[in-house]
Amino acid sequence: MKRLVESGLMFGNLIHVSSPALVERYNRALEHLTGKTTKLPDFYIDISGYSPEIGHELGDYLYLNHAGVNRQFILLSTQQKTAPLLGAKFSTSRGILRQFIEENEAALFALTARDAVAGELVNSVFDMSSPERLFDLRRVRVEADTTGGAVQQAEKLKAKTDQFLSEEDAWFDDVLIAEMIELAGQTGDVVRNPVQLKEMSFEQRNFWTAHFGGLYLFQQMDHPALITSGDKDGLGDLPIKYVFDLTDRNRIAKFLEYNDLVQPVVKARGVNAGAILRQKMDFILVDALAGEGIPLAGRGRVDMRRLASRHASVLPEEFHALASLVNWVENDGLWPRITSDHPAYFYTLRAADHADADLINMLLSELSPKDIRQLFICHKPLFYHLYQNWPEAKKAYVVEFLTREYQIDKAGARQALFGHEPEMAEPEPVRATPRVKGPWG
């Protein structure tokens, strides 16, 4: 794992907290939320304010996420919005935090200039004792304030200001005026500079959770289902009709098709399907040859093609099926029949254009784990788990590839793989313009 950390593929893009003032603010917020403090002079934090160094110091890697539900957060800067979320228990958590920061960026910028903002992603569930509790998750509400209660005090001041302006005899109410002056000393002028965080809540019906070995719950669908990465028989009776595990490939394929959740890569608009499929073939090739003592890192397209030719007899079905598909795309070859029980089937798909595209790509990456680029982008917890048991040759290739091909242009790579072009709009009718005669007729 050290190689991943050194290359920025793990714990990358965290926010460094190094100034004594920020450390002191963090400790106030940490004590406010958990009753604990850190003695570290500097550390790194993610979007939620979680620090792996502090987790190690406290011996509690869930110190801001007790029981894996109702995640707490500490904001020292709005710059945290670009940081990852470490140890995510729900696929929706980072998106909720980022949207909360972006929607309240001006207010948070003002608040974090003087204090830390502490808060919680609140839902109605306080433990995950059984899978049934997942169905009680309906909405997540964001609650936040500074450790000094600036937002709450500002609300009190605004209420008293409204009272002062609306009551006829308020000019003679010395107690009201004194309370306003005292509160204004703590919050500033809330009329000219409002200190207010938007009340935000988010519906959480379709999501992935790390609980119970990993579950994908799709409730808000025409055909709802739950898909588990573990054994479905161990989940017990659940209030949903269809429960699949990853061995139910045909049933998962039908679920994706019935809900219009996926599209074949070769039919996606605006993508280079041949290039995407050839890259997937390279990843499958690397997986097949990684234990053969063949150095793989740094090899180019010609080298990979030669390796494939030399070792064609040991390459798996996925490789040959994708090769046939590339031949159809680029050379008008025969259409290969790749059914849902074929090992290559889920390698040929990507999420369609809908609100749960990220969640579907996450599921597809688990169903096609040899595609290490999609796995790293869409399902980092599984990527890190599988990485530990890969042969050294594959680890070296993966780190070198992701550093060279993905890290330098993350947004471009995501757009090329998962972006959706808008549908072709009908052209506007051309209006006839009267012909104007010039000076020569």
Side-chain angles (χ1 to χ4, degrees), residues 17-32 36-43 54 74-76 112-117 147-148:
V17 180
S18 57
S19 76
L22 289 180
V23 173
E24 193 270 334
R25 290 178 195 171
Y26 187 92
N27 262 330
R28 285 205 309 269
L30 184 59
E31 187 171 19
H32 174 74
K36 303 173 183 178
T37 58
T38 178
K39 295 181 180 178
L40 297 177
D42 72 294
F43 45 86
I54 295 176
I74 298 172
L75 299 179
L76 297 178
T112 55
R114 295 184 295 177
D115 200 355
V117 171
T147 53

Side-chain angles (χ1 to χ4, degrees), residues 133-179:
R133 302 306 304 275
L134 291 170
F135 294 86
D136 295 330
L137 295 172
R138 298 286 174 169
R139 298 193 72 83
V140 176
R141 189 178 73 258
V142 184
E143 292 183 355
D145 201 346
T146 65
T147 53
V151 175
Q152 186 178 11
Q153 298 285 41
E155 290 175 355
K156 289 181 180 179
L157 178 55
K158 186 177 184 306
K160 292 186 181 296
T161 302
D162 292 342
Q163 179 185 348
F164 179 79
L165 294 172
S166 60
E167 291 185 1
E168 194 171 319
D169 298 327
W171 282 99
F172 306 103
D173 189 339
D174 294 337
V175 174
L176 176 61
I177 293 172
E179 290 174 343

Side-chain angles (χ1 to χ4, degrees), residues 45 53 78 86 93 104 116 138 144 150 153 162 173 176 188 195 213 231 242 270 306 335 349 366 375 402 419 428:
I45 59 174
E53 297 104 318
T78 55
L86 304 180
S93 297
N104 294 280
R138 298 286 174 169
Q153 298 285 41
D162 292 342
D173 189 339
L176 176 61
V195 181
D231 179 15
Y242 297 108
R306 289 172 180 167
W335 171 252
L349 301 177
E366 189 159 1
L375 189 65
L402 291 175
E428 290 291 328

Side-chain angles (χ1 to χ4, degrees), residues 218 221-223 225 227 244 249-264 267 338-340 345-346 349-352 354 360 363-364 367:
F218 299 94
M221 295 281 169
D222 292 336
H223 306 278
I227 301 172
F244 311 135
R249 294 175 63 87
N250 291 335
R251 302 178 75 189
I252 292 174
K254 288 179 181 178
F255 161 77
L256 296 173
E257 181 183 350
Y258 290 163
N259 290 291
D260 295 323
L261 296 174
V262 294
Q263 63 179 185
K267 294 184 179 180
I338 303 174
T339 57
S340 57
Y345 178 75
F346 291 107
L349 301 177
R350 71 172 198 167
H354 52 76
I360 295 301
L363 172 61
L364 290 174
L367 291 163

Side-chain angles (χ1 to χ4, degrees), residues 206-389:
N206 302 330
F207 57 86
W208 168 87
T209 177
H211 293 284
F212 312 109
L215 299 173
Y216 299 84
L217 181 56
F218 299 94
Q219 299 176 88
Q220 204 167 35
M221 295 281 169
D222 292 336
H223 306 278
L226 181 145
I227 301 172
T228 174
S229 303
D231 179 15
K232 63 185 177 185
D233 295 329
L235 298 176
D237 293 330
L238 298 175
I240 193 168
K241 185 176 181 180
Y242 297 108
V243 178
F244 311 135
D245 60 34
L246 298 183
T247 63
D248 296 319
R249 294 175 63 87
N250 291 335
R251 302 178 75 189
I252 292 174
K254 288 179 181 178
F255 161 77
L256 296 173
E257 181 183 350
Y258 290 163
N259 290 291
D260 295 323
L261 296 174
V262 294
Q263 63 179 185
V265 172
V266 295
K267 294 184 179 180
R269 291 174 51 82
V271 303
N272 187 338
I276 292 174
L277 293 172
R278 279 197 303 272
Q279 192 67 74
K280 290 175 184 280
M281 289 169 59
D282 285 352
F283 300 147
I284 295 169
L285 172 66
V286 166
D287 181 77
L289 301 182
E292 303 296 322
I294 301 171
L296 300 168
R299 289 185 179 267
R301 171 66 55 193
V302 174
D303 295 325
M304 299 301 281
R305 188 171 65 246
R306 289 172 180 167
L307 279 176
S309 299
R310 196 172 303 134
H311 301 277
S313 60
V314 299
L315 296 179
E317 290 181 76
E318 299 100 302
F319 184 93
H320 296 296
L322 294 185
S324 299
L325 198 54
V326 171
N327 188 43
W328 176 82
V329 171
E330 298 183 340
N331 303 313
D332 293 327
L334 294 176
W335 171 252
R337 181 170 173 76
I338 303 174
T339 57
S340 57
D341 56 356
H342 194 289
Y345 178 75
F346 291 107
Y347 288 89
T348 69
L349 301 177
R350 71 172 198 167
D353 189 9
H354 52 76
D356 294 304
D358 289 345
L359 182 60
I360 295 301
N361 281 325
M362 186 179 191
L363 172 61
L364 290 174
S365 70
E366 189 159 1
L367 291 163
S368 53
K370 295 176 185 178
D371 184 348
I372 52 94
R373 177 172 54 183
Q374 179 161 326
L375 189 65
F376 179 77
I377 295 172
C378 302
H379 202 333
K380 283 187 175 60
L382 182 59
F383 174 89
Y384 295 137
H385 174 72
L386 295 178
Y387 176 91
Q388 299 177 69
N389 297 316

Side-chain angles (χ1 to χ4, degrees), residues 70-145:
N70 297 299
R71 177 182 281 273
Q72 297 172 309
F73 60 88
I74 298 172
L75 299 179
L76 297 178
S77 166
T78 55
Q79 292 179 356
Q80 285 173 236
K81 69 180 182 180
T82 62
L85 178 63
L86 304 180
K89 295 296 183 181
F90 291 91
S91 59
T92 53
S93 297
R94 185 179 183 273
I96 289 173
L97 283 168
R98 175 152 190 165
Q99 191 170 337
F100 172 73
I101 295 172
E102 290 178 340
E103 289 289 324
N104 294 280
E105 193 150 6
L108 289 171
F109 183 83
L111 290 169
T112 55
R114 295 184 295 177
D115 200 355
V117 171
E120 188 171 351
L121 305 184
V122 182
N123 56 55
S124 58
V125 176
F126 297 95
D127 73 271
M128 277 289 126
S129 54
S130 72
E132 287 182 282
R133 302 306 304 275
L134 291 170
F135 294 86
D136 295 330
L137 295 172
R138 298 286 174 169
R139 298 193 72 83
V140 176
R141 189 178 73 258
V142 184
E143 292 183 355
D145 201 346

